[in-house]
Structure formats: structure tokens, C-alpha cells
Amino acid sequence: MRILNQSIRMLVIAGCSAWLGCSAPLSEASILIGGTRVVYDEDQTEVTLKLVNEGDEPALIQSWIDAGDLHDIPSNAETPFIITPPIMRLGPSRSQSLRIVHTGEGLPQDRESVFWLNVLEVPPKPAADANQLQLAVRSRIKLFYRPAHLKGLAEVAPAALTWRLTRIDGLPAVQAHNPTPFNVSLTEIRVTAGGNTAHFGEGGMVGPGATLAFPFKDGSVASGETPATVHYRSLDDIGAPVDSEAPLQTRAD
């Protein structure tokens, strides 16, 4: 689509200018998204997400939903959702809500499905004499589709994770298993044993019934002789942090 192509072109120009040492000031993102994730319960007819323009200039916004491919463009993204308006002009200090509607196409009923909501902000064209480097800013947040009759509760899913010691390419790591039908998004993981602590570089999302391994970032503390505990932080339905802990099974494969 034309808007997306223009945005990509601006991003390329911005990257080239930065590489060349351009000293022009950068235009900053001005669109605030009213949430860090969207939960679509099956019995809802639609969900809304508020966008606010906190800048001093109008912005052109393009929104679409993809199934997880970062490189999907709106014309190629195929998901069972309709988002309106797909394109809008939002004036300064104004707000407008996006409407998200499930088309009714079949999705698994025994677990959550996850998609991604994209919001692309295209800033207005600068004045001809303006020495300003512009960037089109793309934000992506998770969209969870939650069937009506799943077993258990999403808020207790993080506490249900089980952890054990494993190896990745011969190096120690911890592995989380999610026995629930809900997705669990982890932002922080650390292991303590005998007064020592090991951290992990990045979090990740453990899908329903899935297992995900996390390599140690700064050494191993789990020897099998000293009891080890995993302390981890996840995000709830509104993006608030939830702290949990669980014993680490220290028998590595």
C-alpha cells in the first residue's frame, strides 16, 4: 500500500542519514496506544483500543493485524479480524478508538491464539526549509483471542509453569513448560541457589502446552546439589507485572 511504502522509504532515508552522521534533529513518535496488549474474549462482539495524539502536529495512522510475521504488510496479512478504521488522520491532542472485530472464522477452542496489532504512525511532511529527519514509527502489541470455555484462569497460569535445568548447544539453560491453555509472557528470569544468582538476557512467551528454553546470561548456579529457585516476572492482561517463583528441577538432559 502507498502509505506503507512511503513509510519504509522514510525509514531507509533515516537509517542512511544516521549512518552518514547526519546531525538533523529527529521527529519523535506522538501516538500513545491505550494498552500494551489486547485480550479478545470469544463472547465479545468487538474490542476497542484508544489512540491519542500527544504531539503538536496531525499524524496519519495505519493499523493492521498479522499472525506473527514481522515483515507482513497490510495487503498480505491474513487473520480472522477486521480493524477499523485501517487508516486515519488524527489531529494534535485528539483521540480515536480502533474497533477490532472477529470475523467468526474458526480458531482453536482448547487454547488461546495470539496475533499482533500494528500501529504505524506517519508524521506530516516537514516544511521545505526544515532541517529535520523524520521517522515513521511502527508499534506492535499482542492480541490474544481467548475461547470462552478454557479450563482454568489466565491470572493463575504463570504460577503453573514448571522449570528444569537443560542445555542449549552444550551450555546450561533453564526450560519452562506451560501446562495451561493460556499464553504466559515472561519479562525477567533469575535463578538463585546457595546465595548465588544467575540472570537471563531476555524473556519470551511460553505458549499453551509449550516448552521454551532460556540460556544463562551470566553463569550457572544450579549444580544439582544445592536446591535452586526460579524467580520470574510475567505480564497480566493489562500489562502489569506479576512476580512468581518455583523450584528448579536441576537434572539436566
Side-chain angles (χ1 to χ4, degrees):
M1 296 182 70
R2 184 177 180 183
I3 294 174
L4 185 63
N5 291 339
Q6 289 175 338
S7 303
I8 293 174
R9 192 155 53 243
M10 282 191 286
L11 284 168
V12 172
I13 292 172
C16 291
S17 298
W19 181 74
L20 291 172
C22 177
S23 60
L26 293 174
S27 60
E28 298 181 353
S30 59
I31 300 301
L32 176 67
I33 302 176
T36 61
R37 60 243 295 108
V38 175
V39 177
Y40 197 121
D41 291 311
E42 183 182 19
D43 55 5
Q44 293 178 282
T45 57
E46 67 176 48
V47 296
T48 60
L49 182 67
K50 187 177 181 180
L51 304 182
V52 180
N53 185 353
E54 295 189 324
D56 299 324
E57 300 288 342
L60 193 61
I61 301 168
Q62 184 173 28
S63 304
W64 71 97
I65 297 171
D66 68 64
D69 186 347
L70 179 65
H71 303 292
D72 260 355
I73 61 176
S75 59
N76 293 339
E78 297 183 1
T79 66
F81 295 94
I82 296 173
I83 187 167
T84 57
I87 298 174
M88 71 171 81
R89 180 184 183 277
L90 195 57
S93 303
R94 301 295 297 272
S95 65
Q96 185 168 338
S97 292
L98 296 174
R99 296 175 60 246
I100 304 168
V101 178
H102 180 225
T103 62
E105 295 180 43
L107 287 172
Q109 291 296 299
D110 60 344
R111 62 188 183 276
E112 278 186 340
S113 298
V114 62
F115 300 88
W116 290 86
L117 171 63
N118 299 265
V119 176
L120 178 70
E121 174 190 350
V122 182
K125 184 178 180 180
D129 59 348
N131 183 27
Q132 185 180 57
L133 181 61
Q134 285 195 298
L135 291 173
V137 180
R138 176 184 176 187
S139 300
R140 298 178 85 228
I141 65 174
K142 293 173 184 174
L143 166 63
F144 298 105
Y145 179 81
R146 184 171 295 165
H149 303 294
L150 294 181
K151 295 181 179 179
L153 299 172
E155 54 263 36
V156 300
L161 294 184
T162 58
W163 299 80
R164 68 182 181 89
L165 188 65
T166 186
R167 289 184 176 276
I168 298 178
D169 297 329
L171 300 177
V174 292
Q175 189 177 76
H177 174 67
N178 178 9
T180 79
F182 303 95
N183 292 279
V184 178
S185 297
L186 300 170
T187 61
E188 181 181 340
I189 306 168
R190 58 188 174 89
V191 175
T192 59
N196 298 316
T197 301
H199 294 84
F200 299 84
E202 297 179 359
M205 186 176 69
V206 190
T211 299
L212 187 63
F214 302 88
F216 282 88
K217 178 183 178 182
D218 52 6
S220 172
V221 298
S223 64
E225 300 176 357
T226 303
T229 301
V230 183
H231 307 267
Y232 54 103
R233 176 167 291 178
S234 58
L235 299 177
D236 65 14
D237 282 354
I238 62 172
V242 177
D243 291 323
S244 308
E245 63 178 50
L248 176 67
Q249 302 173 28
T250 54
R251 182 179 60 82
D253 290 339

